[in-house]
Amino acid sequence: MKVNVDRARCQGHAQCEDAAGLVFEVGDDALVRLRMENPPEELRPAVEDAVRWCPVEAIRIEND
């Protein structure tokens, strides 16, 4: 699984960090950063929650 974030779309709501803090973090600039671009499959449910909870739809999952 590969995670993509559109930082231009991000508004810093931090829903992704709440859902999957091992994968996402919101920086001092209030924009999301990926901690892991290719997280292990066991984190998929949390990453899928992050995708669902992002109010601006800035996160995508690509399957390898």
Side-chain angles (χ1 to χ4, degrees):
M1 152 177 64
K2 180 177 180 182
V3 180
N4 288 305
V5 174
D6 183 347
R7 287 177 44 94
R9 186 172 247 193
C10 179
Q11 295 179 356
H13 294 280
Q15 297 297 317
C16 56
E17 187 176 37
D18 288 344
L22 293 174
V23 179
F24 305 97
E25 69 178 334
V26 176
D28 293 337
D29 58 359
L31 297 177
V32 69
R33 288 184 179 84
L34 285 174
R35 294 176 143 201
M36 285 187 236
E37 187 175 319
N38 299 97
E41 277 299 315
E42 58 263 17
L43 294 178
R44 182 178 286 272
V47 174
E48 288 175 345
D49 284 346
V51 171
R52 260 192 309 279
W53 296 350
C54 181
V56 295
E57 300 178 349
I59 305 167
R60 286 190 340 259
I61 298 172
E62 292 180 21
N63 295 311
D64 293 341

